[in-house]
C-alpha cells in the first residue's frame, strides 16, 4: 500500500528511523492503515491523559532530543475506506511493522505488547536506544 498525504504529513517531525519503518511496513502489510498522529504537543497529550486515551505526559510523541523529533506514531486500520478499531487488524499491522523494523535494523516497541495499557495503534522507538 502507499501512504496517503495525511499519513505523510503526520510523519513530518518524526525520527527518520521510525519513518523508514512505517514506509517499509506499509509496503508489506496485509491491512491498510493511515498514520493518525506523529508529533504531538504537550497540550494535546494533556487532553489525551484527561480523557483516558493515554496514561503519561512523558509521551514519545512529544518532540525531544538533540534534533527535537517525535519518537512515536499512531496508526488506524482502514478497511473498505473506513477506519476500524478491531483488535485483530492491529495485530496484523504489528506483524508487518515488526518485520519492517527488523529489515530496517531499527528497534521498535508496539503498544499492543504492553502489559498494562494495551495500545494497538501505537509504535515508538525505545527509550534505551533513542533516549531523546
Amino acid at each position: 500500500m502507499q501512504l496517503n498525504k495525511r499519513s505523510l504529513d503526520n510523519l513530518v517531525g518524526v525520527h527518520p528511523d521510525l519513518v523508514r519503518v512505517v514506509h517499509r511496513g506499509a509496503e508489506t502489510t496485509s491491512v491498510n492503515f493511515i498514520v493518525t498522529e506523529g508529533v504531538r504537543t504537550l497540550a494535546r497529550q494533556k487532553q489525551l491523559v484527561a480523557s483516558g486515551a493515554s496514561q503519561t505526559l512523558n509521551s514519545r510523541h512529544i518532540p525531544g532530543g538533540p534534533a527535537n523529533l517525535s519518537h512515536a506514531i499512531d496508526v488506524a486500520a482502514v478497511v473498505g475506506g473506513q477506519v476500524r478499531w478491531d483488535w485483530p487488524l492491529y495485530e496484523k499491522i504489528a506483524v508487518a511493522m515488526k518485520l519492517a523494523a527488523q529489515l530496517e535494523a531499527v528497534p521498535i516497541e508496539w503498544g499492543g505488547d504492553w502489559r498494562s495499557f494495551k495500545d494497538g495503534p501505537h509504535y515508538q522507538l525505545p527509550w534505551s536506544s533513542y533516549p531523546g
Side-chain angles (χ1 to χ4, degrees):
M1 70 161 243
Q2 292 285 328
L3 293 173
N4 66 10
K5 181 177 178 348
R6 175 185 176 189
S7 293
L8 296 173
D9 289 348
N10 286 335
L11 290 173
V12 173
V14 174
H15 195 287
D17 289 352
L18 186 52
V19 171
R20 283 196 340 267
V21 170
V22 173
H23 280 281
R24 181 68 74 99
E27 293 172 1
T28 61
T29 186
S30 65
V31 176
N32 289 343
F33 64 85
I34 57 172
V35 178
T36 59
E37 217 164 2
V39 174
R40 190 180 286 164
T41 65
L42 180 57
R44 169 82 172 129
Q45 188 64 30
K46 286 180 179 179
Q47 288 175 332
L48 292 169
V49 169
S51 73
S54 182
Q55 292 187 331
T56 182
L57 292 178
N58 194 24
S59 171
R60 303 257 43 204
H61 285 279
I62 299 169
N68 203 34
L69 296 169
S70 170
H71 293 82
I73 58 111
D74 289 336
V75 303
V78 177
V79 177
Q82 300 294 314
V83 170
R84 299 278 300 273
W85 300 108
D86 315 42
W87 186 259
L89 296 172
Y90 291 86
E91 290 175 323
K92 289 178 181 177
I93 295 169
V95 168
M97 293 290 278
K98 289 176 181 182
L99 175 61
Q102 184 179 29
L103 293 171
E104 293 293 329
V106 174
I108 63 165
E109 296 173 342
W110 176 45
D113 288 332
W114 295 342
R115 292 181 196 265
S116 61
F117 184 76
K118 298 282 186 184
D119 191 355
H122 184 84
Y123 296 87
Q124 69 181 32
L125 299 172
W127 287 99
S128 59
S129 302
Y130 296 84

